[in-house]
Amino acid sequence: MNNATSNQYDSKPEYGTVVRQATAPSDSASDLERSQLEVIPQNPLKSKKALWAWLLVCFSTGPTSGVAGRYIPAVLQSVANAVGHVPGTNEQCATRGKIVCVVPFGGHEVDYNSYVLYLQAISRSIEGVLTLLIAGVADYGHYRKHLMIISIILFGAFALPFASFTGKTQSNLVTYAALWLTMAVVSAAYGTIESSYLPLFMRESGWFDRTPAAESGLAVPLENEVRHKPQLNIGTKASVLSLVAGNLGSITSLLIGVIIANTSRSGATDGYSSFLISITAGGAITIVLGAIGWFFVPSVQGPKAPSKNLAFLALKNQLSLLKSFRRYPEPFKLCIGWVLWNTASSNFQSVLGLAFREVSGLGMGDRLYTVYSFLGIAIASIGSLTWMFLYPVLTWKLKSYAYFFFILHVAWCLWGTLGISDNVPIGFKHTAEFWVELAVLNPATSALRACNRVIYASMIPKGKEAHFTGLEITLGLATGWINPLVQSVIQDATHDLRYPMLPNLFLFLVSGGFYLWFDIDKGIEDSMKPWEDNAIDEEH
């Protein structure tokens, strides 16, 4: 008997291959023997080529996201300091130490650091709408790949104009702010879709070829995390490599800033121009690599969209997602804790960046700041890679790693708040403290972010990857503007960047409660339940 006929009697085909029996004209033995198998090709995401293509896309966003998170706030801070003045006087603002400086904003004057924090609050408040639409339709048809690549190219395009605005003027300050807000909105779109690929790669490794623990046939059913650790290892690898790929992209553009700032004559006193050139260069790299990724990232065929009204469909899907809380409670618990942690962590890092420049000196310390930014990303990559290699070989569970990384965040944020008192000599009042924080906290932040993504992906029901990924980002954007707004008000009243660390410390502690609350094994078990809209509606 030939191979095609022998394969007909295999008990189980290879995962990813769908086998159907062709319709036979009769039930005779000869007709059955002549029948052919219809084989549907494996999902393209099972190939290593697909993984490398996705990592290329992750890398492409890094050059722009790196400078957007590090250099654009520095540019805004420098220009705001230059056009601002000491409150109640016409005196020029100081550039080092405890700086009291105000700048026009929205018809009145605010602290020059509050200017940056207010922009962060505004960007977070308007990003949610776009993310809501993207997450609601990305799982249908061929939308996922095209939406992701287009948003990546736009992300890079809005970074291109920065080098053409060189003066430290009020009009340029407004222009920088508008471009930064636009970039933040676009980044929410690609971030939603890019992250949704993680559970897809886990699915193609056999993640959904699972049986509930009660039906596993084992005399003593193992915990779900233990039973499915091989698939979780795949998720860990994909999660970490995607973050590292993005970090390597960030390192590329930040390295440009390091070279320009440390080789140009003006870099010794003011690295402002090196920031602008690096931002434009990062945008150009993102556009080129994003366009290349278009030809290599495979399209993921989703179900046909049930409605041509995409806005209505997105809203309907988000409402259906919220109704699924009772059926899939664990990912919601983690999502809330993750959102609160991410809000606290990102805003804490933002405040630290502004504080570093005040302590080292605006302008004169810019060379040092480029090295600080570069090493921050490089060390973060080492942290997540170390965790990727440790998880498969150690017996620690995912939540144990999460607890360890989480405690480090609380400790460093508490350290910063100690500096509120003028009688306490520590609390990020010396550059040495920032370097120690960089070496300890940045690896923990990157590793915890990768850990969160793996845990969350493991609890997502099949076919709802972009929906649940979008939920995390949407909740973050829906609530993420509150903390920057509170920080802005506090900074505006105190002119001390250590006071805005207090709301971050509060959020860290609250999010810790949700990390203690969710149950990963139950979440994995629940994710095996098929998504049925009727079942969800009946539960309500």
Side-chain angles (χ1 to χ4, degrees):
M1 185 178 292
N2 56 31
N3 291 335
T5 307
S6 62
N7 288 342
Q8 182 176 349
Y9 298 98
D10 289 348
S11 59
K12 184 178 180 181
E14 181 183 355
Y15 177 76
T17 301
V18 180
V19 180
R20 295 193 183 96
Q21 183 74 39
T23 303
S26 70
D27 58 354
S28 66
S30 59
D31 288 336
L32 289 174
E33 188 173 3
R34 288 194 302 268
S35 64
Q36 298 294 325
L37 289 174
E38 178 189 351
V39 180
I40 296 178
Q42 296 182 10
N43 191 304
L45 288 181
K46 289 196 71 174
S47 67
K48 290 185 177 180
K49 179 182 177 182
L51 177 60
W52 283 108
W54 179 60
L55 293 178
L56 172 64
V57 170
C58 295
F59 178 89
S60 71
T61 63
T64 302
S65 63
V67 293
R70 300 280 182 163
Y71 287 173
I72 295 182
V75 167
L76 292 169
Q77 187 184 31
S78 293
V79 179
N81 180 271
V83 302
H85 61 89
V86 178
T89 71
N90 291 323
E91 295 180 17
Q92 188 174 355
C93 299
T95 58
R96 190 173 186 178
K98 188 172 182 179
I99 303 174
V100 180
C101 179
V102 294
V103 64
F105 181 78
H108 64 286
E109 294 183 333
V110 299
D111 181 88
Y112 84 114
N113 281 318
S114 291
Y115 188 94
V116 180
L117 299 176
Y118 274 124
L119 289 177
Q120 290 180 339
I122 294 172
S123 67
R124 296 288 176 84
S125 66
I126 60 180
E127 287 172 30
V129 176
L130 182 59
T131 303
L132 182 70
L133 294 174
I134 295 294
V137 302
D139 283 324
Y140 296 106
H142 290 283
Y143 295 125
R144 191 189 309 266
K145 169 186 172 180
H146 303 304
L147 288 173
M148 179 176 67
I149 299 298
I150 290 173
S151 59
I152 288 174
I153 293 175
L154 288 175
F155 184 53
F158 286 115
L160 294 179
F162 274 86
S164 61
F165 302 99
T166 57
K168 293 183 179 180
T169 63
Q170 180 66 34
S171 60
N172 281 351
L173 179 62
V174 175
T175 301
Y176 295 146
L179 289 171
W180 194 37
L181 290 176
T182 307
M183 292 172 64
V185 172
V186 176
S187 69
Y190 84 73
T192 301
I193 305 174
E194 184 182 280
S195 298
S196 74
Y197 272 85
L198 175 59
L200 290 176
F201 280 110
M202 291 177 65
R203 182 182 73 186
E204 297 313 317
S205 71
W207 181 247
F208 287 102
D209 279 356
R210 303 171 294 165
T211 56
E215 302 173 13
S216 62
L218 298 174
V220 181
L222 298 174
E223 295 178 342
N224 278 304
E225 182 179 346
V226 177
R227 285 204 304 135
H228 303 299
K229 190 163 185 176
Q231 286 81 22
L232 287 172
N233 290 341
I234 297 294
T236 300
K237 181 180 179 181
S239 177
V240 171
L241 290 181
S242 65
L243 290 175
V244 171
N247 287 344
L248 289 176
S250 299
I251 288 173
T252 302
S253 58
L254 293 175
L255 182 59
I256 295 174
V258 172
I259 294 173
I260 296 175
N262 287 273
T263 56
S264 64
R265 293 181 179 180
S266 61
T269 56
D270 193 352
Y272 173 72
S273 59
S274 64
F275 295 153
L276 296 176
I277 297 173
S278 299
I279 295 168
T280 297
I285 296 172
T286 292
I287 292 174
V288 172
L289 295 180
I292 294 174
W294 189 299
F295 298 98
F296 293 98
V297 175
S299 294
V300 180
Q301 176 64 53
K304 183 179 179 181
S307 172
K308 293 183 179 180
N309 188 335
L310 298 183
F312 171 77
L313 180 61
L315 180 59
K316 178 183 177 182
N317 286 331
Q318 292 299 327
L319 291 177
S320 176
L321 186 63
L322 294 177
K323 290 181 181 179
S324 70
F325 174 78
R326 294 183 182 178
R327 191 172 179 84
Y328 309 100
E330 305 310 316
F332 280 88
K333 296 175 186 176
L334 172 61
C335 185
I336 296 172
W338 184 5
V339 164
L340 293 176
W341 167 81
N342 191 56
T343 299
S345 178
S346 60
N347 286 292
F348 179 54
Q349 291 289 344
S350 177
V351 170
L352 281 179
L354 298 174
F356 180 89
R357 297 194 72 227
E358 280 198 347
V359 173
S360 62
L362 274 66
M364 68 183 71
D366 285 350
R367 281 184 171 178
L368 200 60
Y369 180 73
T370 60
V371 177
Y372 176 79
S373 300
F374 173 81
L375 289 179
I377 302 296
I379 294 174
S381 301
I382 295 174
S384 53
L385 282 172
T386 301
W387 176 73
M388 182 185 74
F389 288 114
L390 288 179
Y391 177 70
V393 298
L394 297 183
T395 57
W396 274 31
K397 293 184 178 180
L398 287 169
K399 287 190 71 173
S400 299
Y401 285 104
Y403 292 151
F404 174 73
F405 299 140
F406 193 87
I407 290 173
L408 291 178
H409 284 79
V410 175
W412 276 106
C413 192
L414 179 62
W415 178 279
T417 60
L418 296 177
I420 292 175
S421 174
D422 293 333
N423 299 322
V424 177
I426 59 174
F428 297 113
K429 296 179 178 180
H430 311 279
T431 54
E433 296 174 83
F434 290 93
W435 294 110
V436 176
E437 172 271 329
L438 192 76
V440 176
L441 189 59
N442 279 36
T445 300
S446 182
L448 181 53
R449 182 168 287 112
C451 184
N452 284 336
R453 295 172 71 182
V454 175
I455 298 174
Y456 192 60
S458 71
M459 300 188 293
I460 295 177
K462 184 177 181 179
K464 299 298 175 182
E465 294 84 10
H467 285 64
F468 273 86
T469 304
L471 173 67
E472 181 267 324
I473 297 179
T474 302
L475 285 179
L477 298 174
T479 59
W481 60 272
I482 300 176
N483 192 30
L485 181 61
V486 173
Q487 288 186 136
S488 303
V489 174
I490 294 175
Q491 176 64 23
D492 205 24
T494 62
H495 303 288
D496 187 339
L497 285 167
R498 290 150 196 85
Y499 278 99
M501 296 180 186
L502 288 172
N504 294 320
L505 179 60
F506 173 75
L507 287 180
F508 277 136
L509 295 175
V510 174
S511 62
F514 286 93
Y515 276 86
L516 292 171
W517 187 20
F518 86 89
D519 186 335
I520 183 173
D521 287 306
K522 184 179 183 301
I524 294 175
E525 191 80 7
D526 290 342
S527 71
M528 299 179 203
K529 302 175 184 177
W531 180 280
E532 299 175 1
D533 290 328
N534 292 337
I536 293 174
D537 291 336
E538 288 175 2
E539 292 179 4
H540 290 77

